[in-house]
Structure formats: C-alpha cells, structure tokens
Amino acid sequence: MSDPRRKAIVRLRIAIWACAILLFAIQFVHHEIGLFLPAMALALVLLAAAVQHVETRLQRPAKSYARVAVASAAAALLFIALPAYWHGIMWIGALLWIGFTAAGLAWCIQYERTEPLDRP
C-alpha cells in the first residue's frame, strides 16, 4: 500500500463514502427519508467504484475514454437529476450536459490522436 496512486485512490474512496454518509445524515435530520437520497448515495458510491476501476485497471487509450464517460455520468447527476428533483428547468441542464460531454469527448479524441503512448 506504499504506492502513492493507491493511497490517493483510497483517500478518494473514503471521501466519496463520507460525502454519501453526510448527505444521508443531513437529509435525515432535516426531512423525511425519500427515494431520492438513497438513490443519490448509491450513485455516488457507484461513481467512486467506477473511478477506482478506471484508474487502477485500464490503460490508455481506453482509460481516457472511460474518464470522459465517468465525468459525463457525474455531470448528468449534477445537470439533469438534481434539477429534476427540484422541479427545475431540465432542458437547460440537458444542454449543459450534452455540451460538456461533447467537449470532453472532443478533447479526448484530439488528445489520443496527438499524444504518444507511454509504453516501455
């Protein structure tokens, strides 16, 4: 466990769990427990597992595209799921999500075309 990358991943996983527990505790103190809170906590845990899998098991170029996919899933939660829960305007969030995902994918394609692979 002396590898700095593994320590960073463990810290990230602990931070995600702490955020999920904190979110659950805040909701429990202020409101009744609905379906949204456990669903968002589960989504955070699944995102943490996806980040850990991408960072530890994949290599470029698949790693770059998987990072974009995980970031797109997190942006979908932020731009679509939260406004839907708050009964907000979802089409603006959907446009933002599409724009950020397209920009990330365009950057990833350009990066993979121009940067050499780091193979020994």
Side-chain angles (χ1 to χ4, degrees):
M1 195 69 172
S2 63
D3 185 23
R5 289 182 70 193
R6 292 191 70 182
K7 285 184 181 181
I9 291 170
V10 168
R11 285 187 194 126
L12 179 65
R13 190 178 345 151
I14 290 170
I16 297 293
W17 273 106
C19 287
I21 291 169
L22 180 66
L23 182 66
F24 188 79
I26 289 171
Q27 184 72 15
F28 183 73
V29 168
H30 290 291
H31 306 289
E32 71 277 355
I33 299 297
L35 181 62
F36 179 75
L37 182 69
M40 285 301 279
L42 178 64
L44 285 174
V45 170
L46 289 176
L47 277 173
V51 167
Q52 180 181 4
H53 178 75
V54 167
E55 295 300 322
T56 58
R57 305 243 169 105
L58 296 180
Q59 294 180 352
R60 277 192 53 213
K63 187 179 212 177
S64 298
Y65 291 105
R67 285 176 176 166
V68 170
V70 170
S72 176
L77 288 176
L78 181 65
F79 294 139
I80 296 174
L82 285 178
Y85 177 69
W86 292 329
H87 306 291
I89 302 171
M90 287 181 35
W91 67 272
I92 294 173
L95 288 175
L96 283 170
W97 174 68
I98 289 169
F100 279 114
T101 301
L105 187 60
W107 173 84
C108 187
I109 290 170
Q110 180 64 23
Y111 177 79
E112 289 302 327
R113 287 180 53 205
T114 58
E115 294 297 316
L117 293 175
D118 298 329
R119 292 190 181 156

